[in-house]
């Protein structure tokens, strides 16, 4: 998908990111992935807070937002204090109605390259424990399971368990 372009989100993009996130949650639920995301769970305020300490990135094609991710520079709730700096990818999502298969992997690669550009040697992410399909997706993308986190706090106050994964940031981008 060569016409996919990436840029940081700003205040004017918040409604688009919330809509994309809600659509991704509905897509998961329609495929039997429960317990991960729910429509209406996150508002623009969530993404605004992320932009204060991290980054929210968009994937666009033909002027339309079709993907996004959050990039955090620390995640002590899941990973604790770490001696090796990393970038933490969260809420990777694509609009499955508007992008072909493989676009999610392209968005993930863009996130990994952004981590490398920031000079961080590792890319870390987590996925809901028990979501074997998503865990396999990340393993196929070169990540390795490095741990588990029980009871990680969520934006809505609930606690969930996650599988922790990491891989080296792409070489040549730092």
């Amino acid at each position: 998908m060569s016409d996919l372009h990436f840029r940081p989100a700003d205040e004017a993009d918040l409604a688009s990111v919330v809509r994309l996130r809600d659509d991704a949650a509905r897509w998961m639920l329609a495929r039997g992935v429960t317990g991960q995301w729910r429509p209406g769970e996150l508002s623009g305020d969530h993404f605004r807070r992320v932009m204060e300490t991290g980054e929210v990135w968009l994937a666009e094609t033909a002027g339309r937002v079709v993907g996004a991710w959050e990039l955090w520079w620390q995640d002590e709730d899941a990973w604790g204090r770490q001696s090796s700096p990393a970038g933490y990818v969260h809420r990777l999502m694509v609009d499955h109605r508007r992008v072909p298969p493989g676009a999610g992997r392209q968005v993930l690669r863009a996130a990994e390259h952004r981590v490398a550009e920031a000079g961080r040697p590792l890319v870390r992410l987590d996925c809901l424990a028990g979501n074997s399909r998503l865990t396999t997706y990340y393993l196929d993308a070169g990540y390795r399971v490095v741990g588990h986190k029980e009871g990680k706090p969520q934006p809505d106050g609930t606690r969930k368990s996650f599988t922790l994964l990491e891989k080296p940031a792409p070489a040549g981008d730092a």
Side-chain angles (χ1 to χ4, degrees):
M1 185 166 196
S2 60
D3 63 341
L4 208 53
H5 304 281
F6 304 100
R7 69 172 176 85
D10 60 31
E11 185 79 20
D13 298 309
L14 293 175
S16 294
V17 177
V18 169
R19 186 173 37 258
L20 179 67
R21 187 1 176 100
D22 287 349
D23 288 347
R26 283 188 277 278
W27 183 87
M28 282 188 236
L29 291 171
R31 280 148 189 79
V33 179
T34 60
Q36 187 149 337
W37 292 357
R38 294 185 317 271
E41 189 174 37
L42 298 179
S43 69
D45 288 340
H46 165 83
F47 295 101
R48 186 178 295 110
R49 282 190 302 273
V50 169
M51 291 187 309
E52 290 172 4
T53 59
E55 301 172 358
V56 177
W57 282 81
L58 304 177
E60 295 180 318
T61 187
R64 179 182 275 282
V65 174
V66 294
W69 74 89
E70 295 177 11
L71 184 54
W72 301 4
W73 301 117
Q74 62 182 0
D75 185 1
E76 289 188 19
D77 284 342
W79 292 82
R81 288 196 178 273
Q82 295 290 309
S83 59
S84 181
Y88 298 84
V89 177
H90 287 279
R91 285 176 248 305
L92 184 81
M93 53 192 143
V94 296
D95 183 342
H96 291 277
R97 297 167 302 155
R98 292 189 170 84
V99 297
R105 189 66 54 91
Q106 189 176 354
V107 171
L108 180 58
R109 277 193 307 269
E112 294 165 357
H113 285 279
R114 174 63 192 118
V115 170
E117 288 171 0
R120 304 287 177 113
L122 294 170
V123 183
R124 293 185 174 134
L125 50 79
D126 57 50
C127 66
L128 190 66
N131 187 338
S132 60
R133 182 176 173 193
L134 188 56
T135 300
T136 298
Y137 177 84
Y138 289 126
L139 292 173
D140 289 346
Y143 287 81
R144 64 184 182 95
V145 174
V146 295
H148 298 277
K149 172 64 179 180
E150 303 296 324
K152 178 184 173 188
Q154 298 301 291
D156 67 357
T158 62
R159 294 180 172 272
K160 297 179 182 178
S161 298
F162 289 85
T163 301
L164 305 176
L165 301 105
E166 73 177 19
K167 75 185 271 190
D173 292 319

